[in-house]
Amino acid sequence: MDTPPSPSPVSSPGGGGGEDCCVKVAVHVRPLIADEKAQGCKDCVTVVPGKPQVQIGTHSFTFDHVYGSTGSPSTAMFEECVAPLVDGLFQGYNATVLAYGQTGSGKTYTMGTGFKDGYQAGIIPQVMSVLFGKIETLKHQTEFQLHVSFIEILKEEVRDLLDPSCLHKAESPNGHSGKVNLPGKPPIQIRESSNGVITLAGSTEVTVGSFKEMAAYLEQGSLSRATGSTNMNNQSSRSHAIFTITVEQMRKTNPLFAGDGSPNDGMNDEYLCAKLHLVDLAGSERAKRTGSDGLRFKEGIHINKGLLALGNVISALGDEKKRKEGLHVPYRDSKLTRLLQDSLGGNSRTCMIACISPADINAEETLNTLKYANRARNIQNKPIVNRDPMSSEMLKMRQQLEYLQAELCARGGFSSDEVQVLKERIAWLEATNEDLCRELHVYRSRCAAVDPREIDAQDICSVKGEGLKRSLCSLEASDYQMVETVQSDAREIDEEVAKEWEHTLLQSTMDKELHELNRRLEEKESEMKLVGGFDTAALKQHFGKKIMEMEDEKRVVQQERDRLLAEIANLSAGSDGHAQKLQDAHSQKLKTLETQILDLKKKQESQVQLLKQKHKSDEAAKKLQEEIQSIKAQKVQLQHRMKQEAEQFRQWKASREKELLQLRKEGRRNEYERHKLQAINQRQKMVLQRKTEEAAVATKRLKELLEGRKSSPRDNGLSNGHVTNGQSNEKSLHRWLDHELEVMVNIHEVRFEYEKQSQVRTALGEELAVLRQVDELASKGITPPKGKNGFARATSMSPNARMSRIASLESMLSISSNSLVAMASQLSEAEERERSLTSRGRWNQLRSMGEAKSLLQHMFHSLGDARCQMWEKDMEIKEIKEQFKELVNLLRQSETRRKEIEKELRLREQAVAIALATAASVGLISKHS
């Protein structure tokens, strides 16, 4: 349905209306988001402490308020910027809050259009809360009626977000979500009333009576709004959204004249109607950075088109010279500017909130936003109190009555006829006033009969969905703790030393045991030699023979003794003399024999003793032999143990040598990697430094060209309206064209360097994020996932190499950040210059057809020379490519040869290590055996 007619904006006669006021501009600097921190982005925006001043690069801007970063807290934004506008609604003043900025800068979050489930973050929920709080306070004195509407501008088409006849669609395959109008429904049209008020024909305006109702409509519209995902924002608003709150108020009827008859008391009985527009603009975006294509790309084109038209309106209104000259303001170039016509330069109190990102990668867009907002500060609005036309007519009559009464009192001497005429006029005015009041009452009764509140609320399609919320998280990269690595290395070294010391101690203990066994064996063998020095069998035979000989000798001696005794007995019976001699001789001989017998007996006894001792010695020898055998068995077991231990130690030593060889290789490889990484860092730094210097030179050249353009002799000469002669004019034209072309080429060069630097910056930031993540996982003892992209190389690096690489990347990111900010500054200046040239016409320099022909001829010759030079460069590039291919082939051959040599060297080192380990093991075994 059409919106009800708004009251005519009537200037307050008693003051307080019709006074010009500037658009208030506040800057909201959001913090760095997680993705920007992961990319290693730096803060390129500086807020001067204690002042509403923002600095970026060499540019400085002053605004009414600055929030975020080191400025005022974001929570103070509503009280300082929006609360005065809400207060002005109750005085009859229109107001507008406008959020502008690049995509992903936090506009929807700041405005609160992503309202859902009572989450009251943002300006709009606070406006609703304060609005109903004030109404609750003033409801005993004033009658209020609130209406809300919610529309969006998508691809230059106005869409109603509260229309119950529209269907809410889920996100389609192209990623678009929003409302789809039913077939046959007429589109919403923008119309201008006779009194200059902009209205929307066909939009839905619903009446609300509580905070809950208004919040429900806000949530319904937020869920129906078109959103999409881009590379810079997961839930990017694809349309400009305007949430409008209309406040109608009228004090309860009072008598026209109070007790003292003063007409001022009757002035309170008036009808006021004010509107608050809460505008959440879609963010400006670049297709290269957002990665949009297809439908998303077309949406971006329409978004930028609308913002460009808005920028042209702001430039036209902010230029004091153009404003005084009364130049045309292009409101009709876009539906957005048409709807905001009263908000910019019209009947409204306006506050613009410029949302910016502090990341250096967004420096160009941030600078453009600040310039955009700085121009908006110069816009002069003319807010007036919005009264009903009937109330305005009554006010005029009261003023006229007051004037006449004052004049009557001043004269003091009217005739009765004049007084009677004045009284009749007063009576007529009072009767007219009563008739007008009755008509007003009838009109209001009829309006109440078709009040939108009577519409069946069950027909409204309320769809619950997922709201737009954006959470900001911060990741802080933890520094790498090298103490744990040193301790782990020390533990490995201690384990290796302990292993070798344990083996040495065990070998020493076994050597001592073996030496003791050998000593005991030698003692036993020496004892055995002492005991068994002669042959036992031979000795036994010898002693047996001796005993037999002695037995025989004893028997012979006994026989001879018996014979001698017999002879003595015989001789005793014979002659005495001869017998006596014989007897004496035999006696002597007998004694000798007895003595021999005794000696033989003694020898026999000694031989028996010797035999007994021999038996004992045999038993001792047998025991010694058993002990020797036992010692030998122990010796064999010990030698076997020593051999096993030596074999185990040899195997461990060989494996350790292998590990050491591998570690040496790893060390050499790490050293190689370290030197390679240092070379890469140095090379990248040199390349980045060279590119930065080239970008600085191009930026400086562009700055000089832009400054030279301001003092171009062609402009000065033609602006005076006369030229000295045709030849100088032709040369001036050629110089001007060459200068313009050079500026264009230089802008392209700086833009190319900027994009290239941004890509390099992104790659460096991603690598830095991966290294920090791997470093953090390693510090916690967690193995990083090698399968993920980028983690394999970071995991293979040593901790020192990682720390060195991180420091190098941070240094390169700092250099890149400064370069990006400088280039963004000059690109912004160039875009501003290009915009000014487009507005006034680039070819206004030409004054005649001859100049145009001369300029065209010059362009033709320049193009021909450029084509010839391009052909020559193409030939040079072709030759260089062929040389490059040859060098690549040589490099591949050398790389293949290097791999073969490395493989051969590795095999030799393994063979040498195995040979050394085997030799050490054999020597150790031979030593112990």
Side-chain angles (χ1 to χ4, degrees):
M1 69 175 186
D2 294 350
T3 53
S6 301
S8 299
V10 179
S11 173
S12 174
E19 297 179 358
D20 292 355
C21 67
C22 293
V23 172
K24 302 295 181 183
V25 178
V27 175
H28 187 204
V29 185
R30 69 158 171 80
L32 291 172
I33 59 177
D35 291 342
E36 293 170 347
K37 289 182 179 180
Q39 294 177 12
C41 293
K42 304 294 182 182
D43 195 334
C44 67
V45 176
T46 303
V47 179
V48 179
K51 295 181 181 180
Q53 190 172 355
V54 178
Q55 294 178 348
I56 176 170
T58 58
H59 298 268
S60 180
F61 304 92
T62 302
F63 300 98
D64 297 292
H65 304 280
V66 177
Y67 301 98
S69 187
T70 57
S72 302
S74 301
T75 53
M77 186 188 306
F78 177 80
E79 290 296 330
E80 296 177 358
C81 298
V82 185
L85 303 182
V86 177
D87 293 337
L89 289 178
F90 294 91
Q91 301 171 13
Y93 290 102
N94 293 333
T96 301
V97 180
L98 186 71
Y100 173 79
Q102 75 170 115
T103 181
S105 58
K107 300 180 297 301
T108 300
Y109 179 85
T110 302
M111 292 300 297
T113 49
F115 184 88
K116 184 182 178 183
D117 298 335
Y119 181 67
Q120 299 187 21
I123 290 174
I124 297 179
Q126 296 182 70
V127 166
M128 296 190 299
S129 178
V130 172
L131 194 63
F132 282 102
K134 286 184 175 293
I135 289 175
E136 185 67 24
T137 304
L138 300 174
K139 68 179 181 179
H140 300 292
Q141 304 173 7
T142 309
E143 182 181 349
F144 291 96
Q145 196 170 32
L146 297 181
H147 310 281
V148 295
S149 65
F150 202 177
I151 60 104
E152 68 173 352
I153 304 174
L154 177 65
K155 293 188 288 187
E156 281 302 298
E157 178 185 350
V158 180
R159 296 152 55 94
D160 190 356
L161 299 177
L162 300 181
D163 189 356
S165 63
C166 293
L167 300 176
H168 182 271
K169 254 192 170 183
E171 188 170 329
S172 58
N174 56 19
H176 177 73
S177 65
K179 285 197 166 192
V180 177
N181 290 331
L182 287 175
K185 180 174 177 61
I188 298 175
Q189 297 180 356
I190 301 174
R191 293 177 181 173
E192 184 175 357
S193 62
S194 58
N195 54 10
V197 178
I198 304 298
T199 60
L200 286 172
S203 67
T204 302
E205 189 173 40
V206 294
T207 304
V208 295
S210 65
F211 176 89
K212 188 175 181 181
E213 287 183 36
M214 189 178 290
Y217 286 118
L218 174 62
E219 183 176 354
Q220 174 188 342
S222 299
L223 295 176
S224 302
R225 188 180 177 188
T227 59
S229 177
T230 66
N231 291 344
M232 296 184 67
N233 193 353
N234 291 332
Q235 286 189 332
S236 174
S237 301
R238 311 309 297 167
S239 64
H240 308 295
I242 303 177
F243 185 74
T244 303
I245 303 174
T246 304
V247 181
E248 297 181 14
Q249 54 182 323
M250 187 185 69
R251 291 186 179 274
K252 294 181 179 179
T253 55
N254 292 321
L256 181 62
F257 295 101
D260 58 352
S262 173
N264 293 331
D265 296 334
M267 293 178 63
N268 293 326
D269 185 16
E270 58 183 353
Y271 173 78
L272 300 178
C273 179
K275 293 186 177 183
L276 174 60
H277 298 292
L278 300 162
V279 185
D280 179 15
L281 298 175
S284 60
E285 57 184 43
R286 295 182 184 274
K288 285 186 178 180
R289 293 201 59 197
T290 58
S292 57
D293 54 3
L295 178 61
R296 197 71 67 239
F297 179 72
K298 293 180 180 179
E299 290 174 352
I301 291 176
H302 286 286
I303 290 171
N304 290 337
K305 182 180 178 182
L307 294 176
L308 177 61
L310 182 61
N312 293 335
V313 169
I314 291 175
S315 298
L317 293 172
D319 193 335
E320 186 177 358
K321 183 179 179 182
K322 292 181 180 179
R323 190 167 59 245
K324 289 181 179 179
E325 293 176 356
L327 293 180
H328 169 69
V329 179
Y331 286 116
R332 294 180 180 271
D333 288 356
S334 169
K335 290 185 179 181
L336 174 65
T337 53
R338 186 70 171 141
L339 288 175
L340 297 179
Q341 182 170 340
D342 281 339
S343 302
L344 298 173
N347 175 24
S348 177
R349 292 177 174 176
T350 302
C351 176
M352 179 179 179
I353 301 175
C355 301
I356 62 174
S357 165
D360 51 9
I361 198 170
N362 299 322
E364 184 180 2
E365 289 82 358
T366 298
L367 188 57
N368 289 334
T369 301
L370 293 175
K371 289 183 177 180
Y372 204 102
N374 191 51
R375 289 196 298 270
R377 291 190 69 212
N378 300 324
I379 298 177
Q380 295 287 335
N381 283 359
K382 300 177 179 60
I384 57 177
V385 177
N386 297 276
R387 288 189 176 90
D388 184 69
M390 191 174 298
S391 299
S392 301
E393 187 67 26
M394 290 173 62
L395 181 61
K396 287 180 181 179
M397 289 189 292
R398 290 187 187 118
Q399 289 175 344
Q400 188 176 4
L401 180 60
E402 183 181 358
Y403 172 73
L404 291 174
Q405 286 182 344
E407 186 177 357
L408 180 61
C409 293
R411 290 185 180 184
F414 276 160
S415 64
S416 58
D417 294 336
E418 291 177 346
V419 172
Q420 185 65 29
V421 170
L422 290 174
K423 286 182 178 180
E424 290 176 357
R425 189 172 182 181
I426 290 172
W428 177 79
L429 289 173
E430 289 177 354
T432 304
N433 183 34
E434 290 177 1
D435 293 339
L436 291 173
C437 287
R438 282 195 296 271
E439 290 179 7
L440 179 62
H441 181 70
V442 171
Y443 177 80
R444 285 178 179 156
S445 300
R446 291 177 180 176
C447 289
V450 291
D451 194 349
R453 285 178 294 182
E454 299 298 325
I455 298 175
D456 189 7
Q458 298 300 324
D459 296 333
I460 298 177
C461 179
S462 175
V463 181
K464 301 292 183 181
E466 187 175 352
L468 301 173
K469 289 185 181 179
R470 191 170 179 87
S471 59
L472 302 176
C473 57
S474 58
L475 291 175
E476 295 185 0
S478 59
D479 295 332
Y480 183 78
Q481 302 293 334
M482 296 198 59
V483 177
E484 295 185 2
T485 305
V486 173
Q487 289 178 352
S488 63
D489 293 341
R491 283 196 296 269
E492 291 180 1
I493 294 172
D494 292 342
E495 289 177 2
E496 182 178 352
V497 172
K499 181 74 176 177
E500 293 184 355
W501 174 254
E502 182 182 358
H503 175 72
T504 304
L505 187 63
L506 185 61
Q507 290 290 336
S508 176
T509 304
M510 289 182 176
D511 287 341
K512 288 181 180 179
E513 291 180 3
L514 184 61
H515 181 69
E516 181 67 20
L517 287 175
N518 288 332
R519 185 184 63 79
R520 288 172 56 194
L521 185 61
E522 289 177 358
E523 289 179 356
K524 297 299 181 180
E525 286 179 348
S526 61
E527 290 179 4
M528 189 68 182
K529 287 180 179 178
L530 291 175
V531 172
F534 303 98
D535 188 5
T536 306
L539 188 62
K540 188 175 181 180
Q541 185 178 1
H542 172 72
F543 277 108
K545 188 177 180 180
K546 281 287 186 183
I547 290 173
M548 289 178 68
E549 289 178 356
M550 291 176 66
E551 289 287 341
D552 292 339
E553 187 177 355
K554 179 181 176 183
R555 203 166 38 253
V556 170
V557 171
Q558 286 178 351
Q559 290 176 0
E560 188 176 355
R561 187 193 66 178
D562 294 335
R563 185 179 61 77
L564 288 174
L565 287 174
E567 286 181 0
I568 290 173
N570 294 326
L571 289 176
S572 60
S575 61
D576 295 334
H578 184 69
Q580 190 64 32
K581 290 181 181 180
L582 289 172
Q583 188 177 3
D584 292 335
H586 283 293
S587 298
Q588 189 66 30
K589 193 174 181 178
L590 184 61
K591 289 180 181 178
T592 303
L593 290 174
E594 287 180 352
T595 303
Q596 288 179 355
I597 289 171
L598 288 174
D599 291 337
L600 289 174
K601 284 182 179 180
K602 288 180 180 181
K603 285 181 179 182
Q604 187 177 6
E605 289 177 358
S606 65
Q607 288 295 328
V608 170
Q609 291 293 330
L610 285 174
L611 286 174
K612 288 181 180 180
Q613 289 180 357
K614 180 60 178 174
H615 181 70
K616 291 181 179 180
S617 67
D618 287 342
E619 291 180 354
K622 186 177 180 181
K623 189 175 181 181
L624 285 173
Q625 190 68 29
E626 291 176 354
E627 291 179 357
I628 289 172
Q629 291 297 328
S630 175
I631 290 172
K632 285 183 177 180
Q634 292 179 7
K635 181 179 179 182
V636 170
Q637 291 178 358
L638 183 60
Q639 287 178 344
H640 184 65
R641 279 175 55 198
M642 290 178 69
K643 186 176 180 181
Q644 287 182 344
E645 181 64 25
E647 181 64 22
Q648 291 178 359
F649 182 74
R650 185 193 68 78
Q651 292 177 358
W652 176 82
K653 194 71 175 175
S655 63
R656 188 59 184 167
E657 288 290 338
K658 209 171 184 180
E659 290 177 4
L660 290 175
L661 184 63
Q662 189 69 22
L663 287 175
R664 281 196 293 270
K665 289 181 181 179
E666 294 267 338
R668 286 196 299 270
R669 187 161 58 249
N670 290 338
E671 188 71 16
Y672 172 72
E673 287 290 335
R674 188 173 63 84
H675 287 299
K676 183 179 178 181
L677 186 60
Q678 288 179 352
I680 291 173
N681 291 339
Q682 191 68 22
R683 185 168 63 253
Q684 285 185 345
K685 281 186 178 180
M686 291 175 64
V687 171
L688 184 62
Q689 190 72 27
R690 178 176 56 80
K691 290 182 178 179
T692 304
E693 291 174 356
E694 291 175 357
V697 170
T699 306
K700 184 179 179 182
R701 177 59 180 161
L702 179 58
K703 184 177 180 181
E704 292 174 353
L705 290 173
L706 293 175
E707 290 177 353
R709 181 66 181 82
K710 297 177 183 178
S711 58
S712 175
R714 174 68 182 168
D715 288 344
N716 296 335
L718 292 178
S719 62
N720 295 331
H722 64 276
V723 183
T724 55
N725 54 61
Q727 186 176 3
S728 61
N729 184 28
E730 185 177 340
K731 291 182 179 179
S732 178
L733 275 172
H734 293 175
R735 284 196 301 270
W736 170 79
L737 181 61
D738 292 338
H739 185 272
E740 289 295 317
L741 290 174
E742 189 175 0
V743 170
M744 184 181 68
V745 171
N746 204 266
I747 290 174
H748 178 73
E749 181 182 354
V750 175
R751 171 67 64 188
F752 177 78
E753 291 293 338
Y754 183 82
E755 298 293 340
K756 197 173 181 180
Q757 193 80 273
S758 300
Q759 293 175 0
V760 172
R761 168 60 189 272
T762 303
L764 293 177
E766 290 175 355
E767 184 180 357
L768 180 61
V770 170
L771 287 174
R772 283 178 173 171
Q773 188 174 356
V774 171
D775 195 31
E776 183 179 359
L777 292 175
S779 64
K780 295 179 181 179
I782 302 174
T783 304
K786 295 184 178 180
K788 286 190 176 182
N789 189 19
F791 277 82
R793 182 172 178 271
T795 308
S796 62
M797 296 172 63
S798 63
N800 293 334
R802 271 202 306 270
M803 295 298 293
S804 175
R805 183 60 177 169
I806 288 174
S808 177
L809 287 174
E810 288 177 346
S811 175
M812 287 188 285
L813 283 174
S814 178
I815 296 173
S816 178
S817 175
N818 297 332
S819 177
L820 283 174
V821 173
M823 286 189 287
S825 176
Q826 294 306 316
L827 286 174
S828 178
E829 293 287 343
E831 286 185 359
E832 189 172 357
R833 171 187 175 275
E834 217 34 55
R835 191 162 42 246
S836 64
L837 281 177
T838 304
S839 62
R840 70 172 184 262
R842 185 189 299 274
W843 304 106
N844 291 341
Q845 309 285 354
L846 302 179
R847 296 291 187 269
S848 65
M849 185 64 69
E851 290 183 354
K853 289 181 179 180
S854 174
L855 205 59
L856 187 60
Q857 186 71 18
H858 180 68
M859 291 175 65
F860 178 78
H861 289 309
S862 299
L863 181 60
D865 294 340
R867 288 286 182 90
C868 293
Q869 292 177 5
M870 188 181 297
W871 181 83
E872 293 176 358
K873 293 294 182 183
D874 288 339
M875 296 303 296
E876 291 179 2
I877 291 173
K878 188 175 181 181
E879 292 178 358
I880 292 173
K881 284 183 177 179
E882 291 178 356
Q883 294 177 2
F884 178 73
K885 287 182 180 179
E886 293 178 359
L887 290 175
V888 168
N889 292 331
L890 290 175
L891 181 61
R892 287 176 179 173
Q893 293 176 3
S894 62
E895 186 70 18
T896 304
R897 179 59 181 164
R898 184 183 65 80
K899 289 181 179 179
E900 292 176 356
I901 292 174
E902 286 183 352
K903 184 177 180 181
E904 184 179 354
L905 184 61
R906 187 164 56 251
L907 292 174
R908 288 182 181 179
E909 288 179 350
Q910 291 178 355
V912 169
I914 293 172
L916 288 174
T918 305
S921 174
V922 172
L924 187 63
I925 293 173
S926 62
K927 175 184 176 182
H928 293 312
S929 60

